[in-house]
Amino acid sequence: MRILFCSDALLIDGVTSYILNVGTALKRAGHDVAVMGRWAGRGFQARYRQEGLKVITCPSVSVGNMYFDFMAKRFRPDVIMSDPRRSFPLATRIKQITGAPLITYFLDPVAKTDRKGRDIPSLVKYSDTWTAFEPDILSQLHELNANVPIVKMIRPLDVFFAPSELPDIHPFNILCFGRLSRYKTPGIFHMLDNIKAIQDHIPDFSINILGGGGWRLYKFKALAHKLNKSLGRKCVNIIGTQDNPRPYIEKANIVFASATSAMEAAYSFRPVVAMCSYYFGQVRPGNLDVAVRSYFSERSPYYKHKNFAEILPDLFRIYDNYGSMNDDLHEISSRLGNSFSVVKMMKGFDEIMSGIQWHPKNSA
């Protein structure tokens, strides 16, 4: 089967990461997978090609263009996949050119915008299936009462990640993993503001900050230089954007993250503290279901709070009990692996493709 993913720009973000994981799983299952989107600088292009995905891209002012039209006709997709936001106008254009059905995957809460081509009526008109994996987003889709089939299809964790044993406690590597947006960085700033307290409790610590963020990246670099100078050693490292975070997770003793980044780290058998603009705290077997429902602090404040003062106690408790967490970490990793596997993703995809065959939009 020929599967075409549409991406407005191939910059590294949640959408392009989703395409990398799901697209690679589909490719390994024997499908022919392509990704189409505007060139906008460094992204997942090299990783896509490395995994055998075809990349169709060019500089473009508009989301669609005649080159994409030509290449889509040439690829002849059996199905198109797109998120409901920036990529959706390109996907609908390609659908009208090729006649291929369109799967719309929702990675964020449903946005009822009036923006032409991305509003709810357009999503209803052009989508042949809606899919998501978060329970609250699936509920939102059902509440729209639209004539569009809704299928749960998870994002697989075991495409590029696997559990690995914890590294030695010395030196103690603290990894902050995720995009450096205003929404995701309050907890990081709290740690950096209290770096001397961390130094007192964990003398050989380092903080590695992984993720891009435009001008904020330079702000973090300037702050790191200042802090390293004040402590007399280089202990705060700004890594920036990386298209393969797995080596950094494997070297980490603890990971502070949210959303998919937190899921990948927890599945990899690492202690995880979930935080975003709100604070969730340490992920444990007893709160794992709540952590998943909140998408590891990314979603509703009902599941979390803004008390970032708990960061240091959580960090120090994990450090002090580092050698006694294996059972909990194994349980968390196992449960996530069972729920977010390639096998379950392919089951959802097969269900979608089976349903598309009989859906009224394709019965002409």
Side-chain angles (χ1 to χ4, degrees), residues 204-217:
D204 61 352
F205 84 97
S206 64
I207 298 178
N208 296 308
I209 300 175
L210 175 64
W215 65 267
R216 285 189 180 86
L217 183 62

Side-chain angles (χ1 to χ4, degrees), residues 30-324:
H31 299 291
D32 190 1
V33 182
V35 185
M36 176 181 288
R38 293 187 285 184
W39 176 270
R42 181 187 176 191
F44 274 122
Q45 295 94 329
R47 288 293 307 279
Y48 289 152
R49 293 188 180 100
Q50 180 182 338
E51 299 303 329
L53 279 60
K54 180 180 178 64
V55 177
I56 304 170
T57 188
C58 69
S60 179
V61 175
S62 59
V63 66
N65 56 51
M66 293 180 65
Y67 173 73
F68 287 163
D69 297 347
F70 171 78
M71 293 302 292
K73 290 178 184 177
R74 187 174 180 179
F75 184 68
R76 295 181 295 114
D78 296 301
V79 65
I80 302 164
M81 297 186 68
S82 172
D83 71 281
R85 295 184 175 178
R86 296 187 305 248
S87 309
F88 197 76
L90 172 60
T92 58
R93 174 172 174 152
I94 299 305
K95 175 176 180 173
Q96 293 176 79
I97 291 171
T98 64
L102 171 57
I103 300 170
T104 305
Y105 52 86
F106 289 76
L107 305 181
D108 293 295
V110 179
K112 299 181 181 180
T113 69
D114 294 325
R115 188 167 296 187
K116 186 177 180 180
R118 294 158 47 175
D119 55 304
I120 296 298
S122 295
L123 295 175
V124 172
K125 178 179 179 180
Y126 292 107
S127 299
D128 293 273
T129 302
W130 286 342
T131 184
F133 60 86
E134 295 182 53
D136 290 350
I137 296 178
L138 288 166
S139 296
Q140 291 174 0
L141 293 175
H142 283 289
E143 289 169 2
L144 292 175
N145 293 316
N147 183 30
V148 181
I150 300 168
V151 177
K152 179 179 179 179
M153 189 176 85
I154 59 90
R155 174 191 178 127
L157 293 176
D158 54 352
V159 178
F160 298 114
F161 291 86
S164 61
E165 292 304 311
L166 284 172
D168 189 79
I169 193 171
H170 300 295
F172 196 75
N173 182 333
I174 302 167
L175 178 63
C176 298
F177 177 19
R179 182 164 46 89
L180 300 179
S181 65
R182 182 176 65 177
Y183 182 66
K184 294 193 174 186
T185 53
I188 301 176
F189 280 117
H190 183 85
M191 278 196 287
L192 297 181
D193 288 341
N194 293 276
I195 199 163
K196 290 185 178 180
I198 298 175
Q199 174 74 56
D200 290 341
H201 197 98
I202 312 174
D204 61 352
F205 84 97
S206 64
I207 298 178
N208 296 308
I209 300 175
L210 175 64
W215 65 267
R216 285 189 180 86
L217 183 62
Y218 298 99
K219 181 178 180 180
F220 271 97
K221 286 183 176 181
L223 180 57
H225 177 76
K226 177 182 177 181
L227 294 174
N228 289 335
K229 186 176 180 180
S230 70
L231 293 177
R233 68 185 182 93
K234 188 177 181 181
C235 54
V236 181
N237 306 294
I238 311 302
I239 299 167
T241 300
Q242 298 291 321
D243 62 10
N244 182 15
R246 181 174 176 177
Y248 297 94
I249 291 177
E250 289 182 342
K251 293 177 182 177
N253 298 95
I254 184 173
V255 178
F256 289 82
S258 67
T260 303
S261 303
M263 289 180 67
E264 291 170 343
Y267 174 63
S268 298
F269 194 65
R270 294 297 178 270
V272 168
V273 175
M275 66 182 190
C276 199
S277 64
Y278 288 82
Y279 188 73
F280 182 92
Q282 182 182 357
V283 177
R284 306 169 182 269
N287 67 13
L288 180 60
D289 291 340
V290 181
V292 170
R293 191 171 184 87
S294 73
Y295 202 22
F296 292 85
S297 193
E298 185 84 2
R299 303 301 183 215
S300 170
Y302 173 78
Y303 301 109
K304 47 201 185 319
H305 53 78
K306 286 193 172 183
N307 186 9
F308 289 98
E310 293 185 18
I311 288 180
L312 295 192
D314 280 344
L315 169 62
F316 297 157
R317 183 174 57 254
I318 291 171
Y319 175 78
D320 294 339
N321 296 279
Y322 190 71
S324 61

